[in-house]
Amino acid sequence: RLVAQGFSQRPGIDYVETYSPVMDAITFRYLISLAVLEKLEMRLMDVITAYLYGELDTDIYMKVPEGLKLPEATRNKPRAMFSIKLRRSLYGLKQSGRMWYNRLSKYLLK
């Protein structure tokens, strides 16, 4: 699994906002009891991998990870000259939670 080094991100430079709403345990238990009482159908969602599907709203670049093979034409150049532009959020990014929440909100509103 590829994990970003979010601890090295700087506010205002690497990210602007990280806020995403969360639900406390009491509210969660209330919603489950309400669903049972009203005989509503409940579905499970895998939130662990959902973080991988949040589209980024800013440009984020990372160093080329060890083990990733570079094209043959770049073999004579130092690996540190290259970077990868992320299109989706990774574990460890400060804004991953917010990106996932934005994607989920758009889907639910649609």
Side-chain angles (χ1 to χ4, degrees), residues 9 26 28-30 36 40 44-45 58-59 62 64 67 71 74 76-77 90 93 100 109-110:
Q9 289 183 289
I26 295 169
F28 183 66
R29 286 194 304 257
Y30 171 74
V36 170
L40 299 173
L44 179 68
M45 184 177 75
T58 57
D59 292 339
M62 64 179 271
V64 178
T74 62
N76 57 354
K77 295 182 182 176
L90 291 176
L93 287 177
W100 174 78
L109 290 172
K110 183 174 74 168

Side-chain angles (χ1 to χ4, degrees), residues 66-80:
E66 292 299 323
L68 184 69
K69 294 181 181 178
L70 295 173
E72 198 65 40
T74 62
R75 296 284 176 186
N76 57 354
K77 295 182 182 176
R79 193 175 187 84

